[in-house]
Amino acid sequence: MSAPVRVASWLTAAVFMAAAMWLHARKPHLDAGLQNPISTTGRAGTVVGNRVFSVAVDRVDVASAIVDDGLTTRKTMLSPGVFVIVYLRIRSNQKPFTPGHVRLAARGGLSYDESGRTAISDTSGTYEPMLWGNASYVFEIPKDRLAGARLIVGESAPLDQLSAQADVNLGIDGRKAAELIAHAPRDYVIKKA
């Protein structure tokens, strides 16, 4: 075999190995993309709907502390960041619907699940077709993550490429975030639906 043929063979083999390594590195991202739910986007104050359910964010409050008025005691829960309380309406579009995978997405790809504090419970339940029901969700996030926050509501079933999801921009820019944080009450009581 002549030298030019050997060099061409080595170069061809190197190109195929590089392509194989690139495809191997990309495969997890390709697989993850197949699992992403179908997302419908919108803004707070409007109805964001899909084939399974619709949501409408009515109000967003921010607090530095939440008060739990129990039957016998009054307990104040402070946050090193802020509590974000989202009030919304939910409606099923087909059959009884239970929300799931609810989170607050922030800039930089971070997302926050509902507050894990036992004294704070969401008011979400099962929603019937064509009837609006009230819900509220409480998130605890760092102060610097409020601007650009989005509420994401999905189905309670395991996520796959056919799952429905609503992605609602809460309309909080940098100026509004600073204003909300500066005026965040230290004695906020969550309103019941």
Side-chain angles (χ1 to χ4, degrees):
M1 190 182 295
S2 68
V5 172
R6 274 195 303 238
V7 170
S9 297
W10 282 99
L11 286 174
T12 304
V15 167
F16 281 130
M17 287 192 314
M21 291 185 336
W22 180 80
L23 283 173
H24 180 71
R26 290 286 305 151
K27 185 178 181 333
H29 300 292
L30 295 173
D31 288 343
L34 292 175
Q35 299 302 315
N36 288 340
I38 299 170
S39 190
T40 306
T41 60
R43 298 188 60 78
T46 64
V47 174
V48 180
N50 53 54
R51 63 180 168 68
V52 178
F53 66 96
S54 298
V55 299
V57 172
D58 294 324
R59 180 176 169 175
V60 178
D61 289 341
V62 174
S64 58
I66 291 180
V67 175
D68 174 31
D69 277 331
L71 294 175
T72 58
T73 61
R74 182 177 170 99
K75 179 180 172 186
T76 300
M77 294 169 282
L78 295 171
S79 174
V82 291
F83 290 105
V84 179
I85 306 96
V86 181
Y87 296 96
L88 65 153
R89 292 172 289 132
I90 302 175
R91 175 185 75 193
S92 170
N93 292 336
Q94 295 179 348
K95 57 186 178 180
F97 166 74
T98 302
H101 307 286
V102 179
R103 59 201 181 280
L104 194 71
R107 293 177 317 208
L110 295 175
S111 65
Y112 300 89
D113 292 331
E114 297 172 69
S115 177
R117 301 199 191 204
T118 55
I120 301 173
S121 61
D122 66 62
T123 60
S124 181
T126 300
Y127 298 91
E128 298 300 323
M130 309 315 289
L131 298 174
W132 287 102
N134 295 323
S136 63
Y137 292 98
V138 179
F139 304 93
E140 191 171 359
I141 66 171
K143 292 178 182 177
D144 65 341
R145 295 292 176 185
L146 182 58
R150 299 178 344 266
L151 177 71
I152 298 176
V153 180
E155 297 182 68
S156 60
L159 293 176
D160 62 28
Q161 71 273 16
L162 298 177
S163 297
Q165 175 175 284
D167 184 336
V168 183
N169 182 333
L170 298 178
I172 303 173
D173 59 13
R175 183 183 56 76
K176 186 171 182 181
E179 181 181 315
L180 287 169
I181 291 168
H183 297 99
R186 297 183 58 84
D187 58 351
Y188 188 89
V189 177
I190 297 174
K191 293 146 187 71
K192 300 299 179 196

